[in-house]
Amino acid sequence: MFDVVYFSNVSENTKRFVDKLGIPNHRIPLYPTDQHLQVSKPFVLISPTYGLGDDETSVPKQVIRFLNDPVNRENLRAVIGAGNTNFGDKYCRAAEVISRKTSVPLIYKFELLGTPSDVATVKEKMELLWKQQ
């Protein structure tokens, strides 16, 4: 199974969702002064949406820095979006932008902390993606 790489801000909503998955994971550092994360094997990225969900500001800067590393970008296999339906049509926009710019599939979107059903669905989708590789 692929590992999960995720970004979570100080609210740790995304972290709490990832913890429920029980899948090996790596957190993208919150602060630029933290050590850079480089992942040398295939992974699935989980990213929240920032700002107002505009294409230019929706992807957290930390995620952009992480994906600007050629090794990380090469090993990205899919993206999952974390968001808030209050954003309307911009719900999980960061994952849409990442998917479009990296040409990897957006395999799922979940709201806030996710539900038990979201956790089960993500596990199923990741297993299916693994089998397809």
Side-chain angles (χ1 to χ4, degrees), residues 86-98:
N86 288 340
F87 281 97
D89 66 345
K90 296 178 181 183
Y91 170 65
C92 293
R93 179 61 52 92
E96 294 170 356
V97 169
I98 293 165

Side-chain angles (χ1 to χ4, degrees), residues 61-132:
K61 287 181 169 98
Q62 296 90 333
V63 175
I64 293 169
R65 260 193 313 277
F66 173 79
L67 290 173
N68 280 339
D69 180 318
V71 173
N72 293 337
R73 200 169 179 110
E74 177 183 323
N75 286 299
L76 176 63
R77 294 297 181 265
V79 63
I80 295 170
N84 186 321
T85 55
N86 288 340
F87 281 97
D89 66 345
K90 296 178 181 183
Y91 170 65
C92 293
R93 179 61 52 92
E96 294 170 356
V97 169
I98 293 165
S99 173
R100 186 175 63 244
K101 289 190 173 193
T102 61
S103 300
V104 301
L106 169 56
I107 61 171
Y108 196 71
K109 297 177 181 180
F110 67 92
E111 185 172 21
L112 300 172
L113 303 174
T115 64
S117 176
D118 292 324
V119 171
T121 301
V122 166
K123 285 181 176 183
E124 289 171 12
K125 288 185 176 285
M126 287 189 60
E127 187 172 321
L128 181 61
L129 185 69
W130 175 256
K131 287 178 181 177
Q132 292 172 347

Side-chain angles (χ1 to χ4, degrees), residues 1 5 18 21 30 45 48 57 74 95 108 125 131-133:
M1 175 86 75
V5 172
V18 170
L21 293 172
L30 183 58
L45 175 67
T57 60
E74 177 183 323
Y108 196 71
K125 288 185 176 285
K131 287 178 181 177
Q132 292 172 347
Q133 294 295 309

